[in-house]
């Protein structure tokens, strides 16, 4: 009888531990994707399409200097720019996407010229960049142009025409 009671107690503990561990794991993986939607300006992760990447690369073909992608997501723009010879940097809030971007850059062979950082784009100094890529909600893009306009030489909105500034 005592051994049956002990076995049930062990199973309950094991089931509780497994369920608890699964919930913590789901929270740790999902929160970086959910949290941006809860900000004042919603900044969801929406991957760039291959056409958008091609448009950005096409716009950058006759430009020089380093590139920064604000809200770089899975790193598609930064990696494509690095393949075109640009020193490129991506800033992203979601640590999972930054780690995935670093892995993709390594896999694509551009990890030397494509760098990714976990950072809030409002806390980034990007005066050293000649090319700035912004992809997000219109309210965010307008605020970036207004707040940072003295630093920007060009704003490239993924999939759209460049906006000269400065």
């Amino acid at each position: 009888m005592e051994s049956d009671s002990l076995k049930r107690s062990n199973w309950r503990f094991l089931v509780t531990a497994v369920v608890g561990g699964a919930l913590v794991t789901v929270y740790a993986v999902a929160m970086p994707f959910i949290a941006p939607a809860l900000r004042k300006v919603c900044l969801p992760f929406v991957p760039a399409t291959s056409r958008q990447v091609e448009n950005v690369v096409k716009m950058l073909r006759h430009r020089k200097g380093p590139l920064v992608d604000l809200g770089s997501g899975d790193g598609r723009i930064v990696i494509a720019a690095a393949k075109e010879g640009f020193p490129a940097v991506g800033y992203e809030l979601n640590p999972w996407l930054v780690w995935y971007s670093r892995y993709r850059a390594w896999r694509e062979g551009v990890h030397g010229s494509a760098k990714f950082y976990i950072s809030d784009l409002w806390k980034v100094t990007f005066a050293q960049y000649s090319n700035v890529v912004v992809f997000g909600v219109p309210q965010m893009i307008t605020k970036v142009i207004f707040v940072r306009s003295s630093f920007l030489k060009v704003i490239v909105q993924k999939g759209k025409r460049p906006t000269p500034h400065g």
Side-chain angles (χ1 to χ4, degrees):
M1 293 260 175
E2 281 186 37
S3 68
D4 285 344
S5 175
L6 188 58
K7 285 181 184 178
R8 275 191 218 147
S9 177
N10 285 341
W11 274 107
R12 287 181 185 153
F13 177 75
L14 181 63
V15 168
T16 302
V18 168
V19 169
L23 290 173
V24 168
T25 302
V26 167
Y27 176 81
V29 171
M31 256 337 267
F33 292 94
I34 296 169
L38 303 175
R39 296 179 72 128
K40 186 189 253 183
V41 176
C42 179
L43 303 172
F45 167 60
V46 180
T49 65
S50 56
R51 183 172 181 198
Q52 289 171 322
V53 174
E54 290 168 13
N55 287 343
V56 171
V57 169
K58 191 183 307 180
M59 285 184 267
L60 294 171
R61 285 235 165 90
H62 301 290
R63 299 192 53 80
K64 294 180 183 175
L67 173 133
V68 62
D69 185 1
L70 304 175
S72 58
D74 62 1
R76 295 172 192 212
I77 297 293
V78 174
I79 291 169
K83 285 181 176 180
E84 293 291 320
F86 286 89
V89 174
Y91 290 99
E92 173 62 47
L93 272 174
N94 186 327
W96 297 105
L97 290 173
V98 171
W99 296 327
Y100 178 69
S101 299
R102 290 173 181 164
Y103 165 73
R104 285 192 61 214
W106 171 79
R107 193 180 71 200
E108 301 274 340
V110 293
H111 60 280
S113 57
K115 302 292 179 192
F116 297 93
Y117 300 101
I118 302 168
S119 182
D120 187 337
L121 71 94
W122 304 113
K123 297 176 182 166
V124 173
T125 301
F126 45 90
Q128 70 272 25
Y129 301 104
S130 302
N131 303 287
V132 179
V133 177
V134 180
F135 184 50
V137 295
Q139 300 92 333
M140 182 194 80
I141 294 169
T142 304
K143 189 172 181 182
V144 169
I145 291 171
F146 178 75
V147 171
R148 305 293 187 143
S149 63
S150 61
F151 298 117
L152 302 181
K153 293 182 182 172
V154 70
I155 294 280
V156 177
Q157 190 176 352
K158 291 181 186 173
K160 299 197 177 176
R161 300 177 62 94
T163 304
H165 241 28

